[in-house]
Amino acid sequence: MLKKIMGIFKNFNIGTKIIVCYFIIAVLSISFSTFIYQEINKRIMTQKVGEMAVQTLKTIDSNLNLLIYTVNNESKILLSNQNMQNILKNANYNFNYNSQTTVNRNLTEVIQSNMLISSVYIFDNYGNRYFVDKNVHKSFSLEDVKNCEWYDELQKARGGYLIKINGGGLFNQPDQTFVSVIRVINDLETQRPIGTMVINIPEEAIASSFKNITQKGDIGILLRDEKNSDIIHTKDVSQFNIKESTTYDMKENHYFHIEKVKGSNYIISYLKNNLNFTIISIVPFSEISKQSNVYMLVILCMLILSGIMSFSGLIFVSASITRPINKLIKSMRAVENGEFKKVNIDTGNDEIGKLKNVYNTMIYKIENLIEQIKREQKIKRKAELNVLQSQIKPHFLYNSFDAISCLSLEGRNDEVYKIIKALGAFYRTSLSNGREVVTVKEELETVTSYITIQQIRYDNIFTVSMDIDEVVNKYRILKLVLQPLVENSIYHGIKPTRRKGKIFISTSVKNGYVELVVQDDGAGISEDKLLSIMELSTKGIGLRGTMERLSIFYNGKSKFMVESKLGEGTKVIIYIPIDQEGSNE
C-alpha cells in the first residue's frame, strides 16, 4: 500500500509535492501552536523603537545612495565617450550642427536606457549647449552656471560631482522637482576641463527608490535639502509636528521622536546623510509595544519546534527534487567542455522530466544553429574577400593602360610590346583560374611582371633585389599580397623623392609562419599616418586593402607590421600562418 502511494506521489509535479508535505506539517504545527498562542495572545512584542527608526532611515539612505551611484556611473560613461571627448576638445565659438547631432544622439541613448534620468545638459568651454530633455527643456546658459554660488565648489571638486536641487538655482519648475548631479568634464588625456554636465533625476525616480518601503504599510517619507526645503513627500504630513531644523536635536546623524495623531502612535525619524539631505520617515506602530522576555522565549520555542517539523518535511521534499536534478546536472556537464549531447536519465512525468525534454530539444536546435552559422560565416567571408580582391585588379589595370598610352604616343613600340606581354603574364598568374590561393612562387611571378611594367613606365627610377628562400615557394598563400605593397613602395615611397630608389623583397619561414618582406628606401611615413595605417583608418586600397584581405581570409590570425621613418624608407612585413586553410603545401 505504502509503495503504491509513493508511486503516485512520484508522478506529482513539484508544486503538488510541496503543497501536500507542507499541508500535513502546517496542520500539525498550527494545531499545536494555536493552543500555546491562546494563552499568551495578549503579550505582543515589537521591535525596539530606536532600532526600527534607524533601520528604516538607513534603508532609505542606502536606496538614495544607490540611485545617485547609478546616475554617477552613467555620467562617467558619458564623459569618457570618445566622440564626446573629441567634440568638446575641438569646440569653438562657431555652432557645429554635426557635433550637436552626435552628442544629442549619445544623450538620447542614455536617457532612453535609464529611467532614473529625465534630462542631460552639457556645455563646452565656449558656451555651446548640448541637451536632451524628456520634458520641456530648461533655458539656461554657461554664464548662468558660472554665476551660481556653488560654481567655485564645483571647480574645486576636480571632476567630482555635486548634488543640488533643481540645478542649485539654474532652473525651477513650479510642478516638478529635480535632483541634479553636476560635474566638470575633464579631458581624459590632460585632465583639463573641457565642459560642464548637469544630469537631472526626476521626483518620480526618487520616490520609486524607496517605493518598496512605503508599500509595506502606512509609511510616509519626507526628503529635505540642505536649505530645509521639501524635495519630496509621499503622504500628507501637515498633521504631524515635523521639526524645521534638527541640527541641535541629533545625536551623531540620526534622531527620532514619537507623536500621537488621531489616536495612533507614529515614529518620526530624522537622518542627515552624506548628501546633506535630511530624510524623515513617519512610521505607525501599535499601541501595544511593550516587550516581554517570556513571550520571546515561548515564541522561540515554538519556532524551534516548528522549524524541526518543517525541516523534516523539507528534507523529504528536497530529496525527491534534488536527486533527479543532480542526475540531470551530471549529464549536462559535457556542455561546459563544448560537447552538446542529449541527456538520457530516468525521470517521472514531473517538471524534471519536462526539463530534460526541453533541454534535449534545445541541444538539437543549438547544433543545427551552429552549423547554420558556420555556413553563413563562410559565405560572408567569401563575399567580403571577393569585394576586396575585385578592387585591386581594376586599380592596377588603369595605371597600366595609362603607361601603355604614354609609351605609344612617344613611339617606344618595343617597350609597349614588353609592357603588354608583362601585363598579360600578370593577369594570367593573378587570375589563377579563379583560385583564391596561389603558391609563393606564383605570387613572385605576378610581382615580377608588375615590376617589369612599372620599370618601363617610370624609366627605371628604381631597382629591385630579392632574397628568396626556395623552401617557401611551395607554400600556398592568398594571392595578390605582394603586388599592392610593391605598388605602395613605388608611388608613395620612391616616386615622391624624385631620385632613384631601391626595393627589396624577401621570403622565409619563421616560427610556423611564412614571412614576406617588402622594403624601400623612399620617403618614409610619418608617425601619425603610420598609426592610422595600423588602425585601418587610412584611405586607399593598397596597405589597408591588403591588411583587410589577410585578416578576413585567415580569421585574424595573420600578422602585419609596418616600420618606417621619414626620409629613410618603409619596411612592410607579413606573417601568414602555415597551418591555416590555404597556406599548406
Side-chain angles (χ1 to χ4, degrees):
M1 182 66 180
L2 181 60
K3 186 176 181 180
K4 184 177 180 180
I5 294 175
M6 293 302 297
I8 296 173
F9 182 81
K10 179 181 178 181
N11 289 324
F12 284 165
N13 58 43
I14 295 175
T16 304
K17 291 175 182 176
I18 294 175
I19 291 173
V20 170
C21 288
Y22 275 91
F23 176 78
I24 297 173
I25 295 172
V27 169
L28 296 174
S29 179
I30 292 173
S31 299
F32 181 77
S33 300
T34 300
F35 172 78
I36 299 176
Y37 181 77
Q38 288 175 347
E39 299 297 321
I40 58 172
N41 62 351
K42 294 182 181 180
R43 300 172 180 256
I44 301 174
M45 181 186 68
T46 60
Q47 294 180 342
K48 294 179 180 179
V49 172
E51 291 177 349
M52 181 176 64
V54 171
Q55 188 60 43
T56 302
L57 292 173
K58 287 184 177 180
T59 301
I60 296 170
D61 185 40
S62 295
N63 291 345
L64 284 174
N65 283 325
L66 178 61
L67 184 147
I68 298 298
Y69 176 81
T70 302
V71 174
N72 180 43
N73 280 346
E74 290 289 349
S75 72
K76 290 179 180 178
I77 294 172
L78 268 177
L79 64 86
S80 62
N81 182 279
Q82 192 60 51
N83 288 334
M84 186 83 67
Q85 284 279 316
N86 291 336
I87 289 171
L88 294 180
K89 283 192 292 186
N90 298 320
N92 53 49
Y93 288 106
N94 297 322
F95 175 81
N96 189 311
Y97 177 79
N98 291 332
S99 297
Q100 188 78 233
T101 302
T102 300
V103 175
N104 287 356
R105 181 169 60 248
N106 290 335
L107 299 183
T108 300
E109 292 175 357
V110 169
I111 68 171
Q112 286 181 346
S113 63
N114 195 326
M115 300 303 295
L116 301 178
I117 300 175
S118 66
S119 60
V120 181
Y121 289 78
I122 294 177
F123 290 89
D124 60 32
N125 291 340
Y126 296 90
N128 296 312
R129 183 173 68 169
Y130 313 86
F131 72 93
V132 173
D133 199 326
K134 291 181 181 178
N135 304 313
V136 179
H137 79 272
K138 290 78 182 172
S139 179
F140 63 100
S141 65
L142 181 60
E143 286 302 315
D144 294 330
V145 175
K146 292 182 177 180
N147 291 331
C148 289
E149 60 183 17
W150 44 260
Y151 185 74
D152 289 340
E153 182 184 356
L154 180 65
Q155 299 303 310
K156 293 178 182 178
R158 301 179 64 84
Y161 64 87
L162 298 182
I163 303 297
K164 298 294 178 182
I165 304 304
N166 291 332
L170 283 176
F171 43 81
N172 289 293
Q173 299 290 110
D175 57 348
Q176 182 71 54
T177 301
F178 300 94
V179 171
S180 301
V181 178
I182 309 171
R183 73 187 314 152
V184 171
I185 301 176
N186 290 327
D187 186 335
L188 294 181
E189 296 177 354
T190 65
Q191 291 303 307
R192 293 180 179 176
I194 57 175
T196 305
M197 178 188 300
V198 180
I199 300 181
N200 291 323
I201 306 171
E203 178 181 345
E204 297 80 12
I206 302 170
S208 65
S209 69
F210 44 77
K211 185 177 181 181
N212 61 326
I213 297 175
T214 58
Q215 286 180 339
K216 292 180 181 179
D218 189 22
I219 300 177
I221 304 297
L222 178 64
L223 190 62
R224 287 180 173 175
D225 63 13
E226 68 272 16
K227 296 181 179 179
N228 217 34
S229 300
D230 287 358
I231 301 174
I232 187 173
H233 55 265
T234 60
K235 64 181 293 184
D236 183 14
V237 297
S238 59
Q239 58 185 322
F240 298 95
N241 180 25
I242 305 297
K243 296 181 181 296
E244 290 298 323
S245 175
T246 60
T247 303
Y248 300 104
D249 295 329
M250 288 188 180
K251 293 181 179 180
E252 297 181 353
N253 65 337
H254 57 82
Y255 166 77
F256 71 90
H257 70 269
I258 300 174
E259 184 176 349
K260 190 171 185 177
V261 177
K262 295 182 180 179
S264 298
N265 286 334
Y266 292 84
I267 306 168
I268 303 179
S269 311
Y270 304 80
L271 175 68
K272 199 84 167 183
N273 67 6
N274 56 4
L275 300 175
N276 211 21
F277 291 171
T278 302
I279 309 170
I280 305 171
S281 66
I282 304 172
V283 182
F285 66 99
S286 173
E287 178 71 24
I288 306 173
S289 59
K290 297 180 180 179
Q291 301 191 27
S292 172
N293 292 331
V294 176
Y295 175 76
M296 288 288 293
L297 181 60
V298 172
I299 291 296
L300 181 61
C301 293
M302 291 173 57
L303 291 175
I304 292 174
L305 180 60
S306 179
I308 293 173
M309 297 173 64
S310 299
F311 185 72
S312 300
L314 182 61
I315 291 176
F316 176 79
V317 175
S318 296
S320 66
I321 296 173
T322 56
R323 284 196 190 100
I325 290 178
N326 288 333
K327 292 180 181 178
L328 186 61
I329 291 174
K330 185 177 180 180
S331 300
M332 293 178 178
R333 289 293 184 190
V335 175
E336 296 179 356
N337 299 322
E339 299 177 8
F340 296 92
K341 296 181 179 179
K342 295 181 180 180
V343 298
N344 186 18
I345 59 174
D346 184 21
T347 59
N349 295 323
D350 58 9
E351 284 84 351
I352 304 300
K354 294 176 182 178
L355 178 61
K356 179 194 72 175
N357 295 334
V358 170
Y359 175 81
N360 287 340
T361 302
M362 180 186 69
I363 291 297
Y364 172 77
K365 291 185 177 181
I366 287 176
E367 290 176 339
N368 289 339
L369 183 60
I370 290 174
E371 291 301 319
Q372 181 181 348
I373 291 173
K374 287 180 178 178
R375 290 194 297 270
E376 291 175 353
Q377 288 299 318
K378 288 182 179 179
I379 294 172
K380 180 180 178 182
R381 191 189 73 174
K382 177 72 173 178
E384 291 176 343
L385 195 58
N386 288 340
V387 169
L388 289 171
Q389 291 190 161
S390 67
Q391 293 177 315
I392 295 174
K393 295 170 187 175
H395 178 69
F396 171 64
L397 187 60
Y398 300 151
N399 293 336
S400 299
F401 280 140
D402 181 61
I404 292 170
S405 63
C406 292
L407 293 172
S408 297
L409 290 174
E410 294 174 4
R412 297 160 66 180
N413 295 330
D414 290 339
E415 292 175 324
V416 169
Y417 170 76
K418 290 180 181 180
I419 200 172
I420 291 176
K421 187 175 181 180
L423 182 62
F426 173 84
Y427 273 93
R428 183 171 59 254
T429 55
S430 65
L431 291 174
S432 60
N433 296 323
R435 290 176 292 144
E436 289 183 340
V437 295
V438 296
T439 63
V440 174
K441 181 178 180 180
E442 291 173 321
E443 179 70 5
L444 290 171
E445 291 174 355
T446 302
V447 171
T448 301
S449 299
Y450 173 79
I451 291 172
T452 300
I453 295 169
Q454 297 297 61
Q455 284 179 326
I456 295 173
R457 181 184 177 192
Y458 291 108
D459 198 20
N460 294 313
I461 66 169
F462 64 93
T463 59
V464 179
S465 61
M466 296 186 181
D467 181 11
I468 306 302
D469 186 349
E470 296 297 328
V471 175
V472 180
N473 287 342
K474 63 185 178 181
Y475 291 114
R476 302 176 68 82
I477 63 171
L478 180 66
K479 67 182 179 181
L480 291 177
V481 171
L482 291 175
Q483 180 271 328
L485 305 184
V486 174
E487 181 177 349
N488 264 22
S489 292
I490 297 171
Y491 281 92
H492 303 294
I494 296 172
K495 191 177 177 183
T497 65
R498 300 183 180 276
R499 58 178 172 79
K500 194 167 184 178
K502 297 178 182 179
I503 297 176
F504 172 74
I505 301 172
S506 72
T507 64
S508 60
V509 176
K510 288 188 179 180
N511 300 322
Y513 286 85
V514 171
E515 181 189 72
L516 306 175
V517 178
V518 176
Q519 184 174 1
D520 64 72
D521 61 350
I525 305 172
S526 66
E527 291 185 2
D528 292 340
K529 189 173 181 180
L530 185 60
L531 180 61
S532 67
I533 289 173
M534 299 309 297
E535 292 176 348
L536 295 179
S537 59
T538 183
K539 296 181 180 179
I541 62 172
L543 283 174
R544 180 179 63 82
T546 303
M547 293 170 72
E548 289 180 346
R549 290 172 60 234
L550 287 169
S551 179
I552 292 171
F553 189 81
Y554 295 103
N555 295 319
K557 295 183 179 180
S558 61
K559 300 178 182 179
F560 201 102
M561 297 175 58
V562 182
E563 301 172 358
S564 183
K565 288 186 179 181
L566 283 175
E568 297 182 13
T570 302
K571 182 178 181 181
V572 180
I573 308 171
I574 298 173
Y575 294 96
I576 297 177
I578 293 177
D579 59 345
Q580 294 298 311
E581 177 183 359
S583 292
N584 290 328
E585 296 180 38

